[in-house]
Every structure is written in C-alpha cells, then in structure tokens.
Amino acid sequence: MNGKRVLVTGGAGFIGSNLSNHLAADNEVIALDNCYLGTPENLDDDVIFAEADVLDDDLPTDVDAVFHLAALSSREMLEENPRQGARVNIEGFVNVVEQAMDDGCETFVYASTSSIYGSQEDPCSEAMPVEASTGYDASMMGRERYAEYYSDFHDLTLAGMRFFSVYQGYGGNEEHKGEYANTIAQFADAIADGESPVLWGDGTQTRDFTHVDDIVRGLELAAENELDGVYNLGVGDPYTFNEMVDMINEELGTDVDPVYEPVPLENYVFHTHADPSKFKDATGWEPEISFEEGVSRVCEPYKEREDGESERERLQE
C-alpha cells in the first residue's frame, strides 16, 4: 500500500501496532485504541493515535481501507464478561463497518481466529466445518457472518483473517500483553530467568506459530488485493510445546525443564495446523520467518542483557 489513508482499530495493541508502524512508512495511518489492551507506547511517531472505542460514534472512518483488529482477544476475557465481549467483538465490528461504509470506504480486513476449527492435527482449510466451543469463538464467528452479509448486500470487500498463534516476544510489542502473550514469549521469559515454564498436559500439544511480521505482510496483501471471504493466515508447520522449550533452551544456552500440570480448561485446543494455500493462491504470500529464526528473535534480547533481570521487568522500568 502506498499513499493511502488507513484506519487500524486496536491499533496500539500487539498486532495492530506492528501493522500501524509498518504501514505508516508509506501511508497516513490512524491507530484507534481505547488503551484497554493496547498502549500508544507501541506506536512510532509517524502514526496518528486516536484514543477511542469501537463502540463510539463519530469514529475517524473517512479512509481508503480499514483494518479491524480491535477485540477482546482471549477466551478468558469472554468468560469473565460475555456481554461486553459480544458488544466489543460483534457490535463494535458492525459499528466500524457501518461508519466506514457511510464515509465511502469499501475495503475491510478484519481479525478472526483459527480456534473455531477446534483441535485439529491435520491441516485446516477454510472449507471445513467450524464450531463455537467458547464465547470468544462465537464472537469471531459472528464477525464472519456479518462480513458475509455486508459483502452480499452492500458490495463491500471484507477479508476475515483467521490467525494462527501469532508471536513476537517481550522484546517487541507483545510485552504489554503479559499473561495473554503467546506461550513463546512467556516461556522464553521464564527460562531466561531460570524459572520452569508450566506446560499443560504432556507438552505434546502443537501450535502453528506465525511470526507477527508475516502476519503484517499478509494483512497488507489482503487489502491490496481487495480480498473477500475468510482466509487462513498461518505457516502450516506446527511444533509441539516440548520442541519449543528445547529450542528456547538451546538458543539461550540454558537447561531449564518444564513443569507439567493437568489441563485446567474444558474445550482446550490441543492442536492447530493451518492450510494457507487459499491465501497463498490469492496473494502470493509466503511466510518468510521460520520458527527457528522466530525463536532466535524472541530470545535475542535475553542474550544481550547482563544484569539477569527478566525482559518484562527491564521493559517496564
């Protein structure tokens, strides 16, 4: 994208700030966030920050494209407050689309989730059945159904991106998420501090880990190609949690064993595995960051430090 006016909701959050900072090099970018899950400290100086809520009136939607990433983005948040979760994730989506549509915007890219596939070891294609095992799943499926409506009846293009286990590490813009950060970030921080990471079950569960830089490139391509429908945005090469811990130890030169505990959640997703072929065919996107390189990037700040403090503690000072 070049020379466009762009709105990124959830723009000060983890994925949103990475996207905003990337796009701002060649575009006018407005990062809208209510600062509940995001922080403007994630944003570069050339990003316009707007503190607002996706449920507000008079949003800055007079733009060429909207990237709608704002959401209560975990099952725990929806379980704690299901009404608010539905309002933010579904009503907030509708509110942003309606206002942008009124302002003449026809290009939307929005966040969905791979968790609606449930636990799957085989590659998941967009054509396979999905399910709402949690309130979070239900809210993201609600977005997808409303996007289908807006596409069919209003001739808008709305690309729903089903993210697979997005990570960057506490050395990047993921730090502020804390306990909601990807397990790679949490485990690397614990191991670097000599603490045993807690793995649920026996550690053989798998995730299709996707570096945020590859996610950002995919989001931009979805807008540039004016895609419509739903698309998987994941690498297609899952790793077990045990493998991940071994790779972190190797990268840091440590030997910290994990602690295994029973899975405390119902409907826990043990396996994710993307089939990204539909998105690749539509855009030519290919992941550029292997998991080995991604783990190395996550661990790099710890290898550079000298005082032994955790990366989160250092960043919070």
Side-chain angles (χ1 to χ4, degrees):
M1 298 181 68
N2 190 289
K4 303 294 185 181
R5 179 173 163 87
V6 177
L7 173 65
V8 181
T9 71
F14 166 39
I15 299 175
S17 62
N18 275 280
L19 177 64
S20 296
N21 293 338
H22 170 76
L23 292 177
D26 299 305
N27 303 276
E28 179 183 354
V29 178
I30 304 167
L32 185 145
D33 206 293
N34 67 359
C35 297
Y36 175 61
L37 294 175
T39 171
E41 294 177 0
N42 284 338
L43 297 170
D44 293 342
D45 292 340
D46 51 355
V47 176
I48 302 168
F49 175 63
E51 185 169 357
D53 193 286
V54 292
L55 294 167
D56 291 345
D57 297 325
D58 299 321
L59 297 175
T61 49
D62 54 332
V63 295
D64 299 302
V66 171
F67 293 89
H68 185 69
L69 306 183
L72 294 185
S73 55
S74 77
R75 64 176 288 167
E76 291 83 0
M77 294 177 187
L78 272 291
E79 294 302 321
E80 291 171 1
N81 198 335
R83 292 192 182 101
Q84 183 66 9
R87 288 199 69 209
V88 172
N89 291 3
I90 300 177
E91 184 181 342
F93 173 79
V94 171
N95 187 45
V96 171
V97 173
E98 285 283 343
Q99 292 189 48
M101 183 172 61
D102 289 345
D103 284 331
C105 180
E106 297 180 346
T107 301
F108 299 82
V109 180
Y110 66 94
S112 186
T113 179
S114 62
S115 66
I116 59 178
Y117 292 122
S119 187
Q120 303 285 346
E121 292 189 71
D122 294 330
C124 297
S125 75
E126 294 85 348
M128 71 181 296
V130 294
E131 59 187 29
S133 297
T134 68
Y136 174 63
D137 297 345
S139 69
M140 293 294 102
M141 289 173 67
R143 280 188 177 186
E144 292 187 2
R145 297 288 77 78
Y146 267 103
E148 185 178 340
Y149 154 71
Y150 282 112
S151 173
D152 289 345
F153 289 91
H154 295 282
D155 295 324
L156 307 179
T157 59
L158 302 100
M161 310 309 294
R162 293 175 177 173
F163 297 146
F164 282 76
S165 205
V166 187
Y167 72 97
Q168 184 179 30
Y170 286 151
N173 288 3
E174 195 176 6
E175 183 271 335
H176 75 278
K177 293 189 70 174
E179 64 180 310
Y180 296 114
N182 193 283
T183 51
I184 304 174
Q186 297 187 54
F187 290 179
D189 198 62
I191 291 171
D193 210 33
E195 299 175 359
S196 294
V198 177
L199 276 61
W200 292 346
D202 60 5
T204 58
Q205 64 266 58
T206 59
R207 292 291 181 270
D208 200 328
F209 296 107
T210 310
H211 194 275
V212 72
D213 286 0
D214 285 327
I215 294 290
V216 163
R217 287 191 307 104
L219 290 168
E220 183 177 18
L221 283 169
E224 287 178 339
N225 287 274
E226 298 183 342
L227 297 186
D228 193 59
V230 292
Y231 297 85
N232 290 333
L233 195 48
V235 174
D237 186 18
Y239 284 78
T240 69
F241 280 20
N242 286 329
E243 289 173 324
M244 183 237 294
V245 169
D246 288 343
M247 292 168 70
I248 293 171
N249 272 312
E250 182 176 354
E251 193 67 35
L252 294 176
T254 52
D255 187 20
V256 179
D257 292 327
V259 172
Y260 298 97
E261 294 185 357
V263 177
L265 301 175
E266 295 184 9
N267 301 320
Y268 176 66
V269 174
F270 282 90
H271 303 286
T272 66
H273 190 171
D275 173 2
S277 57
K278 179 183 177 183
F279 188 63
K280 290 181 178 181
D281 291 345
T283 66
W285 176 88
E286 292 282 351
E288 295 181 350
I289 301 174
S290 68
F291 190 51
E292 291 80 3
E293 180 183 347
V295 171
S296 178
R297 291 189 183 191
V298 170
C299 293
E300 190 62 33
Y302 302 104
K303 292 188 287 186
E304 295 175 350
R305 74 188 188 188
E306 296 179 356
D307 57 8
E309 65 184 347
S310 74
E311 184 65 9
R312 285 189 65 207
E313 290 172 337
R314 183 189 69 78
L315 289 165
Q316 289 171 344
E317 289 181 349

